[in-house]
Amino acid sequence: MSDECKTTGFTPQQVARWPNVHKHLCGTLELPTLDSVSEEVILNIGEGIEAMLKSEGPTPKQLKARAGLFRHLKRTLEHRFKNAELQQFGSSQSGLTLQAGDLDLCLQFKGDIPAKALRQVNRILKQHDMEDIVMLPRAKVPIIKFKDERTKIPVDISINNTLALHNTELLKRYSACDERIRSVILAVKHWANRRDVSDAASGTFSSYAWTLLAVQALQQTTPPVAPVLQEGQERSMVEVEGTTYDLTMREVDSITMDPKNNQSLGELFVEFIFKYAASWPFKDQVVSVRTGSPVTRKSKKWKHATPKAEKAVLMEKKTRLGQHSLPIEDPFDLKHDLSRVLRPAGALDIQEEFIRACLAMGDGGRWDAIVEAKNPERFVPVAEFDLFEDLRKKSKEEVATLLSENATAIEALDERMNALTEERKHNVRMSRALRGTIEDTTELRNELRTIVRTLRPRSKEMDKLQTTRDEINKRIGLPLYRIEELLTDVYKQLTGEIDLFQVPSLRREEDQFSWFFELQAMHAEATKAQEAHKAFIALLKEQKDAVRSLKANEKEQQKHKAELLESEPMLKDMDLNFSDAMQFDKKAHKLLKVIDQRRTELRRLRREKGRLDAWVRISSNPSRSSNRHGNKGGGKRGGGQKRTKSGSADWKPRNNGPRPEDVQQRAASGGTLSLTDLDVLLNSGGLSTVTKKQPSPKASRRQERKKKVNARNLTPHRGERSQSRKGRKD
Ligand code: CTP
Ligand code: MG
């Protein structure tokens, strides 16, 4: 007997996964009304959101790590692509970020995008030890996803994602309109993430789509909390990548919401859930932040194509969801439906979560229950990372041994890298030389081929002529001139005056006539033989000329080869052909891969050296050491206190943030200062220090160099310092 539901066709597992959607499809689902949600629930949800905003917002340390990672990637990629700028967008720019958010970056090219740009980025990221790199070159906007090995921050880099920069600005403006807009968006993103329905890659909505759903709900409250930022008389039409878009966006300052909505955060979140759970606008509408209220599917010509989610999940696993399943219009790219990424199961998951939250709210459910993690293992806090954990138990001598082993390994690897680089250069050089000479001699070789091609047919023709001539000559036995002499004689005899005393007999006259005709036939044949002979002689001359040209051509090629051998003696036994050049290319390519691996190894070793050096420095300074590991960092000497991330000796990359001297100098010279600069300035003695006498440029340069050297010796460091100088050269 089949276990499948008679009405929906769902298997028991599917019913267990989507119990409420199943009830809804069977017509047995009863949703609570908005009015039935108690005040207490609303209050609790509001408080829950406030608490979540505090606990889930990015910590200063995380923000700093993101900023550091961005700087590092910017420096690296802009160094590689001179006509590009790496820009941030997404939540880190719109202010709508939580700890779970990723870092969205965009490589904007001024002018042409270089061929295989994404692959080049991939290679650079690999060299810089990024993890889990995934390329999506065929996505609407080419994108590469990865994680930073050290901080584990997830990053997306897209190429020329101009519209995203604009829609980020739009979201930033929305969140600046009213604090509650930002809070509700973050609450929605948090809820969707905890309930596993916020991952475009696995077939649910992207964070961006959830943000738009939240904004639309806030535009729809009575009175609206969120304005419609894209309305206005004056339109701003902008061409992006060959298409014109309406990028009109009102200034936040110009907006007054009258009458003002006074609903609480809790009320707004509850309304958001009820709006989508109960009325399910996607049935015949399209969510549209641009207009402030959903527009009809008909007006957009976005018919819900089959199969719909509840049918598609019954089909083969790979069955794709019909287009425009839960349509959300992109605010600027009006043809882009954000539900494009949904998979059948994902679409049902989303509906299930709306209904689940709605039922929970009607049932007095608390915030914690509503946002309870569906897969708690995804949210297990990552153990605090102690950069020096293994070293804390080691004696000074042991650390010194590690350092010396590390130095030996670096030296050995450096040498190996040198050898590999040389070998690769040699292969590249050989290939280039070979290809160069091949190109130089192309014409000669073509000419040679043409000459050679004529030799054989000509020779055949000559043989034929020779045979014709010889056969005729053999048959006739008399040369042409002799036949002509005889013909003349016989003709004279037959036509000359007759000597009356010697009148030839009739028989003799008959013989002479027949001899005459025979000679005539022989003459025709002998003429043919002579023509064949003449043609043979002409061809013989041509053949001799061709052989002469052949020799000259070969000589010329030999000259080129001699020149090549002079520059590359190792090509002695090579023929001038492309397959040899390709062998060198292949070898060079293989070597490049090995070099890349070795370079990564070398970078690791160098980083390890930095870490060991830093530990030696920290552990040899008892005050720093006890301060960092005793009071804050915990660890062995930490008096039993919890070890925080600063168990990593509160270690900070030196390179983070501007240096006080630089800021002071800039302030003194009247340059512009950012908030961070001001912070640094105040922490380093305030503005009074600015007026102090500046050291001479020469002295300050010397000081600068000294500091750089010191800085190099102290701490592990991201970026330039960890790169092999030799590696960087090529
Ligand atoms: N974006 C887009 N079109 C999409 C998805 C994303 O234009 N289909 C752009 C938007 O500019 C969005 C940015 O990519 O702001 C980042 O998307 P996403 O990471 O999904 O949203 P965030 O707001 O950054 O959310 P999170 O904090 O979770 O990373
Ligand atoms: Mg993001």
Side-chain angles (χ1 to χ4, degrees):
M1 202 183 78
S2 159
D3 289 340
E4 286 145 17
C5 167
K6 298 257 175 326
T7 318
T8 59
F10 278 15
T11 62
Q13 291 82 359
Q14 287 172 327
V15 174
R17 180 167 174 180
W18 303 298
N20 295 308
V21 172
H22 183 251
K23 276 189 200 157
H24 167 67
L25 293 171
C26 293
T28 55
L29 179 74
E30 269 185 40
L31 285 176
T33 59
L34 186 57
D35 298 339
S36 68
V37 182
S38 72
E39 276 301 315
E40 203 205 333
V41 166
I42 293 175
L43 202 68
N44 170 267
I45 289 176
E47 285 169 1
I49 294 175
E50 297 284 9
M52 179 278 293
L53 293 176
K54 286 200 184 98
S55 64
E56 298 295 323
T59 62
K61 208 166 188 174
Q62 286 164 337
L63 290 176
K64 207 168 172 183
R66 282 185 196 202
L69 177 60
F70 172 62
R71 268 202 307 275
H72 170 58
L73 291 168
K74 186 172 172 69
R75 203 171 39 222
T76 311
L77 292 176
E78 288 180 6
H79 177 73
R80 172 66 192 78
F81 301 103
K82 296 284 186 252
N83 64 335
E85 190 187 348
L86 191 71
Q87 297 183 15
Q88 293 191 60
F89 67 100
S91 58
S92 60
Q93 285 306 285
S94 60
L96 294 168
T97 192
L98 291 172
Q99 286 174 21
D102 57 2
L103 186 61
D104 298 291
L105 305 176
C106 165
L107 199 55
Q108 285 292 115
F109 284 90
K110 302 172 198 99
D112 290 342
I113 303 176
K116 298 180 186 161
L118 215 57
R119 270 209 217 166
Q120 295 187 46
V121 174
N122 186 7
R123 200 172 149 235
I124 295 170
L125 294 176
K126 272 190 193 155
Q127 283 171 5
H128 285 258
D129 292 339
M130 298 300 161
E131 290 179 346
D132 304 339
I133 306 176
V134 180
M135 279 204 290
L136 303 172
R138 275 184 219 96
K140 190 170 159 270
V141 176
I143 197 166
I144 187 159
K145 291 169 159 289
F146 59 94
K147 259 190 205 151
D148 175 36
E149 186 221 23
R150 207 163 87 189
T151 58
K152 307 290 173 205
I153 296 172
V155 188
D156 278 8
I157 297 184
S158 40
I159 291 183
N160 278 14
N161 201 353
T162 317
L163 274 190
L165 300 174
H166 291 284
N167 64 40
T168 295
E169 175 62 23
L170 181 75
L171 297 181
K172 188 175 176 181
R173 289 193 194 184
Y174 270 116
S175 71
C177 288
D178 188 316
E179 184 57 29
R180 289 172 300 168
I181 299 180
R182 182 176 168 271
S183 304
V184 171
I185 292 174
L186 291 178
V188 167
K189 277 169 67 165
H190 177 70
W191 163 75
N193 184 34
R194 299 276 296 177
R195 299 302 305 163
D196 274 1
V197 282
S198 176
D199 180 18
S202 55
T204 52
F205 278 141
S206 63
S207 267
Y208 177 56
W210 282 111
T211 307
L212 294 177
L213 283 178
V215 172
Q216 177 90 102
L218 295 171
Q219 288 172 324
Q220 293 268 284
T221 52
T222 340
V225 177
V228 183
L229 285 182
Q230 289 173 265
E231 62 189 13
Q233 288 301 314
E234 268 186 42
R235 311 305 296 172
S236 158
M237 307 305 287
V238 179
E239 193 182 309
V240 178
E241 315 266 326
T243 309
T244 304
Y245 294 96
D246 183 350
L247 300 184
T248 307
M249 233 185 280
R250 288 165 70 194
E251 294 291 341
V252 177
D253 294 346
S254 69
I255 291 162
T256 35
M257 299 302 283
D258 191 20
K260 192 172 164 29
N261 177 306
N262 290 316
Q263 284 177 281
S264 70
L265 205 48
E267 279 177 298
L268 293 174
F269 185 76
V270 171
E271 251 191 63
F272 165 82
I273 294 289
F274 271 74
K275 176 175 167 49
Y276 292 103
S279 61
W280 202 242
F282 308 106
K283 215 168 140 234
D284 42 30
Q285 289 180 315
V286 175
V287 170
S288 168
V289 166
R290 172 184 59 102
T291 55
S293 55
V295 295
T296 61
R297 276 178 179 272
K298 212 169 165 192
S299 68
K300 290 216 57 115
K301 297 195 181 103
W302 281 5
K303 202 170 161 245
H304 189 168
T306 50
K308 294 188 177 174
E310 60 271 23
K311 290 281 178 263
V313 288
L314 306 177
M315 299 175 180
E316 236 187 88
K317 224 176 176 185
K318 281 187 183 157
T319 304
R320 297 183 67 161
L321 186 57
Q323 266 196 330
H324 306 304
S325 48
L326 312 182
I328 302 174
E329 175 195 78
D330 184 89
F332 295 127
D333 185 359
L334 306 188
K335 287 188 186 147
H336 182 201
D337 173 5
L338 290 157
S339 74
R340 210 175 69 156
V341 293
L342 294 184
R343 290 192 205 139
L348 292 186
D349 282 345
I350 291 168
Q351 192 173 8
E352 178 65 32
E353 287 309 323
F354 270 122
I355 303 175
R356 174 190 170 273
C358 179
L359 290 170
M361 286 170 179
D363 209 23
R366 322 280 298 169
W367 168 255
D368 289 348
I370 291 165
V371 296
E372 186 190 3
K374 193 166 172 186
N375 282 307
E377 68 277 14
R378 270 187 59 220
F379 298 92
V380 175
V382 181
E384 291 288 350
F385 176 63
D386 178 0
L387 187 65
F388 300 110
E389 192 171 15
D390 54 328
L391 301 179
R392 291 182 195 287
K393 295 168 213 136
K394 294 204 186 323
S395 67
K396 253 185 182 176
E397 291 69 32
E398 281 173 316
V399 175
T401 311
L402 283 178
L403 255 168
S404 120
E405 281 170 6
N406 173 281
T408 315
I410 289 181
E411 205 178 318
L413 200 52
D414 241 344
E415 268 175 33
R416 179 95 187 87
M417 284 274 291
N418 278 346
L420 285 167
T421 312
E422 274 314 308
E423 197 182 340
R424 179 169 177 270
K425 274 187 192 159
H426 165 75
N427 277 280
V428 171
R429 224 174 34 232
M430 297 279 264
S431 162
R432 280 200 190 135
L434 214 47
R435 276 173 197 276
T437 313
I438 289 168
E439 263 163 41
D440 284 352
T441 56
T442 302
E443 253 179 52
L444 278 176
R445 281 177 301 114
N446 284 347
E447 192 186 297
L448 184 86
R449 221 168 288 136
T450 319
I451 299 172
V452 170
R453 269 195 214 122
T454 63
L455 290 181
R456 190 178 279 256
R458 195 184 291 118
S459 174
K460 267 189 179 170
E461 185 61 26
M462 282 166 70
D463 284 349
K464 238 160 89 183
L465 290 168
Q466 205 173 10
T467 315
T468 313
R469 183 197 64 189
D470 292 350
E471 271 176 3
I472 296 173
N473 287 345
K474 210 164 135 194
R475 238 185 306 121
I476 297 171
L478 286 174
L480 184 64
Y481 76 93
R482 183 72 195 120
I483 297 170
E484 282 170 353
E485 278 173 9
L486 287 170
L487 262 176
T488 318
D489 282 352
V490 179
Y491 181 77
K492 273 184 192 160
Q493 282 172 25
L494 287 172
T495 56
E497 280 190 20
I498 298 167
D499 183 351
L500 288 174
F501 299 100
Q502 279 187 2
V503 175
S505 65
L506 186 63
R507 182 173 168 73
R508 182 167 158 71
E509 226 172 24
E510 272 176 8
D511 282 352
Q512 271 186 331
F513 265 110
S514 115
W515 177 223
F516 181 77
F517 290 129
E518 202 175 321
L519 280 171
Q520 257 187 337
M522 281 166 72
H523 183 266
E525 285 290 289
T527 309
K528 263 193 215 163
Q530 198 184 39
E531 274 165 11
H533 179 69
K534 272 187 192 160
F536 173 82
I537 296 297
L539 285 181
L540 186 68
K541 189 178 172 304
E542 270 181 36
Q543 197 78 329
K544 275 184 185 164
D545 287 348
V547 171
R548 247 197 309 278
S549 313
L550 212 66
K551 281 190 181 151
N553 185 301
E554 273 168 357
K555 211 167 162 187
E556 189 69 10
Q557 285 202 49
Q558 285 301 331
K559 204 175 111 196
H560 275 275
K561 195 164 180 180
E563 279 167 14
L564 170 69
L565 284 178
E566 211 171 293
S567 64
E568 281 305 336
M570 293 192 73
L571 287 170
K572 197 167 151 242
D573 300 324
M574 297 278 153
D575 284 335
L576 290 184
N577 61 42
F578 272 104
S579 69
D580 281 332
M582 262 160 66
Q583 288 300 327
F584 284 117
D585 280 350
K586 269 189 195 161
K587 189 107 192 275
H589 187 69
K590 263 191 197 162
L591 282 165
L592 185 65
K593 278 192 175 169
V594 179
I595 290 170
D596 273 353
Q597 282 166 6
R598 294 272 184 268
R599 193 172 287 157
T600 308
E601 239 172 277
L602 194 59
R603 209 172 283 128
R604 280 210 186 107
L605 283 171
R606 291 219 160 109
R607 219 166 31 216
E608 177 63 0
K609 176 178 171 355
R611 187 180 80 102
L612 291 169
D613 281 341
W615 175 247
V616 169
R617 204 178 67 82
I618 290 162
S619 56
S620 64
N621 185 344
S623 65
R624 272 179 85 107
S625 174
S626 64
N627 224 350
R628 285 169 179 243
H629 312 301
N631 302 339
K632 273 185 171 179
K636 246 187 171 178
R637 293 167 245 180
Q641 283 185 20
K642 181 177 170 269
R643 187 186 291 171
T644 64
K645 230 180 189 170
S646 54
S648 55
D650 256 4
W651 170 78
K652 292 172 191 151
R654 278 246 151 187
N655 212 17
N656 277 351
R659 294 176 322 164
E661 316 85 82
D662 293 345
V663 181
Q664 282 168 3
Q665 222 161 13
R666 224 175 316 136
S669 62
T672 52
L673 296 180
S674 68
L675 280 178
T676 328
D677 292 343
L678 279 175
D679 191 35
V680 170
L681 198 58
L682 290 170
N683 285 336
S684 64
L687 287 160
S688 58
T689 54
V690 170
T691 50
K692 277 184 194 161
K693 191 175 166 275
Q694 297 294 322
S696 74
K698 203 174 166 188
S700 83
R701 266 204 305 275
R702 214 178 304 131
Q703 219 173 5
E704 195 101 312
R705 258 203 309 271
K706 209 169 155 192
K707 272 183 192 148
K708 264 191 192 159
V709 171
N710 283 344
R712 240 177 235 142
N713 291 337
L714 296 181
T715 56
H717 178 94
R718 183 199 291 286
E720 297 292 282
R721 204 196 318 158
S722 61
Q723 280 183 6
S724 146
R725 280 169 181 277
K726 280 167 197 124
R728 254 183 293 146
K729 261 186 216 163
D730 53 28

